[in-house]
Amino acid sequence: MPSRSDITYFGAGPAALPTDVLEEAAKALLDYNGTGLGIAEHSHRSALAADIINQAKADLAACLDIPDDYEVIFMQGGGTGQFSASVYNLVGAWVARKHKEIFANVQGDPANHPELIQQLKQAVDNDLKVDYLVTGSWSQKASAEGERLLGSKHINIVADARKTNGGKFGTIPDESNWKVSKDAAFVYFCDNETVDGVEFPAFPKSLEPGPDGKGPVVIADMSSNILTRKIPVRKFSAIFFGAQKNLGLTGITVVVIRKSLLLPTTSQPSVALMRDLGLPVPPAIFQYETIAKNNSLYNTLSIFDVFVAGSVLAKLLKTYPNKIEGQEAETDKKAQLLYDAVEAFPEIYKIIPDKAARSRVNICFNVTKGGDVDAAEKAFLEEGAAQGLIGLKGHRSLGGIRASNYNSVPLEGAEKLARFIRAFASS
């Protein structure tokens, strides 16, 4: 049987974790800091738990240079849960803004002004839009969830990569063709499409704030490329990501959100009003303000998962004095090694996404050696596994090969895979 040191894991998620982090976590599971109890046994209401949460938040803020006017919250439900939570919360924020505009000069109970309530209803019916950039499987699922919650008339597809790429994902449509709504509740995009190997090279210029600092409400799913490069956090209204790729274990989801979007109870549209407007009411567990107000402890949060994430962040800060820039340089170096190896044999390998949209994190390609793609890819996977290179099978919806270049993959592992890619092509 192979040992851990014999294996380099390129699976798309859950991803591998640094061995020293796992060793520390294993000890903490049995006895945390000499308390006689394992970390998973301590109350999530204890001072110990609060310290773990606060340290993880501080270290994430340090890694990503998160400004003070943003909040970090830990939630559950994964990135998929955020497809719903983002709609619940930011549509509510849009309604609150419209309500404030329409009732700006009203004194007393708004219920005494049915004509203004009707005006608000008309604004919802005619103007409420949620914008989605569809560039892969995850953004497609996000838009489908938005449509399920709100109905199709409130959903605007800014661009769909399939319409300009022969019905397939693999590109990012030119921004000159994007159709962004004038006053969307938010604009969503998936910064890195794990399934399709597509990554935005930078923050979209079409979504940049203007000279006055104002711009669209932009949210991004960064579940698979968080902590792999520097992020212009201020250009985003919110960022969310599951922990299981580069941060820790499956079970917690992080939301980084501008504090001005965390509506206090007195500013939130009432449940009765939202129902009257025909809009969904968020479950309390998905309400950002509620989670933030309780320091992520509205319900029983897995403190062990937060502890593991905190250990990963502490290791990153210790490894790279320049924080995320050091990890970005390593990620780019590993990705270039792999793309160079694949590109060296165009008659053997075919990279799936367009070059301008290639992910540094999920490298997707087909093996065409011998003309029988299925047989060639089966041989590639079997021979790679024999050398300890595992987790390379592409997503079931796309097939092919997918090497997920997460932070836990060491440079030596990328070099080993690059050598194998070259040797397989030459054999």
Side-chain angles (χ1 to χ4, degrees):
M1 296 292 290
S3 66
R4 185 175 180 84
S5 61
D6 296 326
I7 296 296
T8 306
Y9 183 58
F10 293 94
L17 284 165
T19 298
D20 54 348
V21 167
L22 287 177
E23 290 171 342
E24 181 184 6
K27 293 177 182 177
L29 265 178
L30 288 175
D31 185 348
Y32 181 68
N33 281 2
T35 60
L37 281 177
I39 191 169
E41 300 166 303
H42 280 277
S43 169
H44 64 297
R45 303 294 184 194
S46 65
L48 176 152
D51 288 345
I52 289 171
I53 291 172
N54 292 335
Q55 188 62 56
K57 289 168 63 173
D59 284 350
L60 182 65
C63 283
L64 297 179
D65 291 326
I66 298 173
D68 291 341
D69 56 341
Y70 283 71
E71 183 63 72
V72 175
I73 54 179
F74 296 102
M75 299 181 71
Q76 293 158 331
T80 303
Q82 292 306 311
F83 297 164
S84 303
S86 57
V87 173
Y88 288 134
N89 287 272
L90 298 180
V91 165
W94 185 92
V95 170
R97 291 196 300 273
K98 289 297 177 185
H99 189 280
K100 186 176 181 180
E101 290 173 14
I102 293 170
F103 287 83
N105 300 315
V106 172
Q107 302 293 325
D109 188 353
N112 295 327
H113 299 271
E115 75 283 0
L116 296 184
I117 293 291
Q118 186 59 34
Q119 187 178 336
L120 180 59
K121 287 183 179 180
Q122 289 175 348
V124 169
D125 287 342
N126 299 329
D127 303 330
L128 174 60
K129 295 291 182 184
V130 178
D131 282 9
Y132 290 92
L133 274 158
V134 179
T135 55
S137 299
W138 289 112
S139 50
Q140 191 278 323
K141 288 182 179 180
S143 67
E145 179 66 359
E147 182 174 346
R148 190 182 72 85
L149 292 174
L150 297 175
S152 59
K153 74 175 182 178
H154 294 304
I155 303 302
N156 174 49
I157 303 301
V158 175
D160 188 330
R162 294 169 294 186
K163 292 184 177 180
T164 54
N165 194 47
K168 297 180 180 180
F169 293 123
T171 64
I172 296 173
D174 190 279
E175 292 190 42
S176 62
N177 297 318
W178 291 8
K179 297 178 181 178
V180 180
S181 299
K182 183 180 179 181
D183 182 28
F186 64 85
V187 185
Y188 162 97
F189 70 95
C190 183
D191 203 45
N192 185 81
E193 293 279 5
T194 319
V195 172
D196 305 280
V198 169
E199 183 177 26
F200 280 79
F203 188 90
K205 291 187 180 298
S206 301
L207 305 180
E208 293 266 4
D212 58 357
K214 296 181 179 179
V217 175
V218 179
I219 66 171
D221 180 349
M222 295 188 177
S223 290
S224 51
N225 67 345
I226 195 67
L227 297 173
T228 68
R229 67 179 181 187
K230 195 171 178 63
I231 300 169
V233 176
R234 282 211 176 275
K235 294 181 180 181
F236 296 93
S237 299
I239 297 165
F240 65 80
F241 45 94
Q244 67 273 13
K245 313 287 188 180
N246 289 305
L247 182 60
L249 300 170
T250 302
I252 55 169
T253 309
V254 183
V255 179
V256 179
I257 185 167
R258 191 177 288 135
K259 289 179 180 177
S260 61
L261 287 171
L262 298 172
L263 298 178
T265 304
T266 54
S267 300
Q268 293 173 18
S270 69
V271 170
L273 177 60
M274 291 293 281
R275 286 177 176 159
D276 195 30
L277 295 172
L279 296 173
V281 177
I285 196 63
F286 273 169
Q287 200 161 31
Y288 293 152
E289 189 272 340
T290 297
I291 304 303
K293 185 173 66 177
N294 288 277
N295 195 28
S296 301
L297 292 171
Y298 178 75
N299 68 318
T300 307
L301 183 69
S302 172
I303 299 303
F304 176 68
D305 290 340
V306 180
F307 169 78
V308 172
S311 299
V312 170
L313 291 166
K315 179 179 175 66
L316 191 151
L317 287 169
K318 184 177 180 181
T319 303
Y320 301 107
N322 56 350
K323 298 181 289 190
I324 206 66
E325 292 177 6
Q327 181 61 66
E328 180 174 11
E330 172 127 332
T331 298
D332 291 351
K333 184 175 182 179
K334 291 186 294 174
Q336 195 61 53
L337 275 169
L338 298 177
Y339 278 120
D340 284 350
V342 172
E343 288 184 309
F345 301 91
E347 72 284 3
I348 303 296
Y349 304 113
K350 182 182 182 300
I351 297 172
I352 296 173
D354 183 77
K355 190 168 186 176
R358 287 179 189 171
S359 171
R360 304 161 304 119
V361 180
N362 303 106
I363 292 109
C364 298
F365 59 95
N366 290 117
V367 184
T368 60
K369 185 177 182 180
D372 185 339
V373 174
D374 289 342
E377 290 179 347
K378 181 180 179 182
F380 183 94
L381 293 170
E382 289 177 350
E383 292 181 29
Q387 296 187 33
L389 302 167
I390 65 172
L392 289 166
K393 188 175 182 179
H395 190 271
R396 62 186 178 277
S397 66
L398 189 65
I401 307 299
R402 174 174 54 173
S404 293
N405 176 33
Y406 297 140
N407 291 353
S408 61
V409 174
L411 178 60
E412 295 77 12
E415 290 171 337
K416 182 178 179 181
L417 177 56
R419 288 194 299 270
F420 171 69
I421 288 170
R422 293 176 183 274
F424 183 86
S426 302
S427 62

